[in-house]
Amino acid sequence: FQAEDGIRDPLWSRGLGDVYKRQRLRPSPFYDSTLKEGVREFTTYNNMLMPTGYGDPEGEYWRLINGVSQWDVAVERQVQLKGPDAGKLAQILAPRDLRNCKTGQGKYVPICNHDGILLNDPILLKVDEQCYWLSIADSNIWFWAKAVASERRLDVEVSEPDVSPMAIQGPKSDDVVASVFGVWVRELKYFWFRESSIEGIPVVVARSGWSKQGGYEIYLLDGSQGTRLWDIFREAGKPWDIGPGNPNLTERIESGLLSWGGDTDEQTNPFEVRMGKFMDLDLSDEVIGIEALQKIHAEGPRRHQLGLIMDGEEPIRPGFVWNDIMVEGNKIGDLTNHVWSRRMEKNIGFALVSTKSQPGDEVKVNRDNQSIKGKLVELPFL
Ligand code: THG
């Protein structure tokens, strides 16, 4: 990776609207901090760079499992819905009942197209009665929300606010975050959030994050203060040996967390990837995709997501390219993302397979001209 010219421009001061049109690769407000921490790898996500490693995969994994880890996840961009029809637009976009969603509450919501295909799986934050944020995975929901708002003639502004999440994850994260903000953070319920500030830096503190080791997401509300916010947590976390990390492929597969785009394809509906429990099919037909989803539900989805444990005691290269899963010479589905589990000491992955296949079934995976034996299991692995 080579930094593009201009990647360090103080672009937050110029307004995100301009930047959105001009910048191919937008830097995170924590970019300089991650360089200083010795970041070694990035991936692209929502036209930004996301750190994916600091050179010590094993240490970074165990720090998340046993300690506390600090992540630049500003790539989880926010789409803001603001105005009298904000709530209405949120509900049109998401086939999950939002009527009981309170100010200060977050919810994991599917966003589908009119055919019930999953377009994104954001966390929705209700900031107030007339303001919602969609904290998005790697697809552009800004365009989608804007188009839907226009077509439905809603009184709502769709924009990108100056909001950038940083995650503090791991069993020691409560201690670190409480040492910064006070004991009230320990009382936050899962996915709930509160506005606060630290040393004059405005933030939102949420109990959330893409790991099952516990933790918080600190949404920075002033992109010019990324370095300062990073350093505050780096300092505060020292007694607990905080260090840099990133959304961890191994932990998230062990924990059964979905990656939209990694474990889904252009035909995936929410029922196939264990999101049925986040949907409410009795919502009005104004909600995009609801009729298609009712039909899919009535007919029964063709595929479902299970875990796959492969035979063999040696780590194989992590996989992002899908591999065919076979039973008696016939393809029954795909092995999507997979990884060596450090806690199970097995190669494990997500299987998107025919609903005729069930946990306990023996299968084979075609990978690198090899046929690897494996077994389907329930998720999560751990
Ligand atoms: N945090 C924030 N924004 C995000 C993510 C995040 N945007 C992109 C991506 N991650 C969205 N995807 C997910 C996927 C799973 C979960 C959160 C975001 C998750 N799932 C739990 C599970 O499936 O067990 C809990 C779901 C529930 O009980 O409601 O946490 O991480 N800001």
Side-chain angles (χ1 to χ4, degrees):
F1 165 73
Q2 280 230 289
E4 280 185 11
D5 281 351
I7 195 154
R8 290 149 184 275
D9 280 4
L11 34 92
W12 295 92
S13 57
R14 281 192 267 122
L16 282 164
D18 291 348
V19 171
Y20 211 108
K21 284 173 232 139
R22 292 190 11 242
Q23 194 97 356
R24 223 183 263 163
L25 205 52
R26 192 176 86 194
S28 154
F30 311 111
Y31 179 68
D32 284 340
S33 299
T34 61
L35 288 188
K36 214 170 132 195
E37 296 278 7
V39 61
R40 293 274 293 275
E41 298 161 36
F42 291 97
T43 188
T44 55
Y45 191 106
N46 282 328
N47 294 84
M48 293 178 67
L49 291 173
M50 172 162 64
T52 52
Y54 290 81
D56 177 18
E58 180 154 5
E60 289 159 35
Y61 172 81
W62 290 112
R63 178 183 292 145
L64 170 61
I65 303 297
N66 297 322
V68 53
S69 179
Q70 184 174 10
W71 305 352
D72 172 5
V73 284
V75 295
E76 289 158 356
R77 289 183 175 214
Q78 310 304 302
V79 178
Q80 178 172 278
L81 320 177
K82 199 174 173 71
D85 288 337
K88 196 167 175 192
L89 177 58
Q91 187 64 87
I92 288 169
L93 294 172
R96 179 170 186 180
D97 192 343
L98 301 177
R99 275 172 300 188
N100 60 358
C101 186
K102 306 268 189 316
T103 293
Q105 188 175 11
K107 272 180 190 279
Y108 183 42
V109 299
I111 292 196
C112 295
N113 71 9
H114 301 78
D115 299 323
I117 308 287
L118 197 60
L119 296 181
N120 202 297
D121 66 336
I123 293 174
L124 172 132
L125 294 90
K126 183 171 178 180
V127 180
D128 64 45
E129 287 299 327
Q130 298 202 0
C131 183
Y132 291 77
W133 295 340
L134 293 165
S135 183
I136 60 172
D138 187 19
S139 71
N140 195 327
I141 294 305
W142 179 79
F143 279 129
W144 180 254
K146 237 176 151 55
V148 171
S150 298
E151 295 274 329
R152 305 277 176 115
R153 302 185 190 289
L154 299 178
D155 186 1
V156 58
E157 190 200 342
V158 178
S159 64
E160 184 173 24
D162 178 356
V163 177
S164 307
M166 176 187 77
I168 306 292
Q169 299 286 300
K172 308 270 172 66
S173 57
D174 284 46
D175 293 330
V176 174
V177 178
S179 81
V180 173
F181 292 105
V183 290
W184 61 266
V185 301
R186 296 184 191 271
E187 309 296 315
L188 270 179
K189 283 181 278 180
Y190 197 53
F191 279 143
W192 287 65
F193 61 92
R194 210 164 111 177
E195 289 194 46
S196 186
S197 70
I198 178 70
E199 294 181 20
I201 306 170
V203 295
V204 158
V205 182
R207 190 187 283 277
S208 54
W210 207 52
S211 87
K212 283 286 180 184
Q213 306 312 309
Y216 296 82
E217 290 179 303
I218 317 298
Y219 291 70
L220 171 63
L221 308 188
D222 175 355
S224 70
Q225 300 296 319
T227 304
R228 276 185 66 214
L229 187 70
W230 186 277
D231 286 343
I232 287 169
F233 280 87
R234 196 175 195 284
E235 276 306 307
K238 273 191 178 151
W240 295 277
D241 211 15
I242 200 169
N246 57 275
N248 190 285
L249 178 70
T250 308
E251 191 279 341
R252 77 96 181 165
I253 292 180
E254 292 171 339
S255 298
L257 288 171
L258 181 74
S259 170
W260 182 89
D263 303 309
T264 64
D265 62 16
E266 294 72 20
Q267 274 128 47
T268 306
N269 66 64
F271 295 107
E272 294 182 327
V273 286
R274 299 176 293 134
M275 289 188 81
K277 58 181 180 288
F278 302 123
M279 297 197 300
D280 296 294
L281 292 177
D282 50 5
L283 288 167
S284 99
D285 58 11
E286 279 179 9
V287 177
I288 296 178
I290 202 79
E291 287 175 17
L293 292 163
Q294 287 163 351
K295 187 157 174 275
I296 293 166
H297 183 70
E299 289 172 359
R302 289 185 302 109
R303 301 185 293 184
H304 60 168
Q305 190 183 44
L306 298 173
L308 176 72
I309 303 179
M310 285 172 261
D311 284 4
E313 311 301 317
E314 289 298 314
I316 55 176
R317 185 171 42 77
F320 298 100
V321 177
W322 291 16
N323 300 114
D324 292 346
I325 300 181
M326 315 290 289
V327 170
E328 289 166 5
N330 299 313
K331 177 170 173 175
I332 59 145
D334 295 277
L335 174 62
T336 64
N337 290 176
H338 61 88
V339 76
W340 170 253
S341 165
R342 295 179 190 274
R343 281 179 289 173
M344 295 165 66
E345 302 194 322
K346 290 277 179 197
N347 295 297
I348 61 170
F350 290 119
L352 189 55
V353 292
S354 160
T355 41
K356 293 190 191 107
S357 296
Q358 291 296 327
D361 289 1
E362 308 274 349
V363 300
K364 285 182 179 163
V365 180
N366 291 338
R367 192 176 176 286
D368 288 352
N369 300 318
Q370 271 183 295
S371 178
I372 305 172
K373 275 192 193 160
K375 194 176 177 178
L376 298 174
V377 297
E378 297 275 7
L379 287 170
F381 292 99
L382 294 177

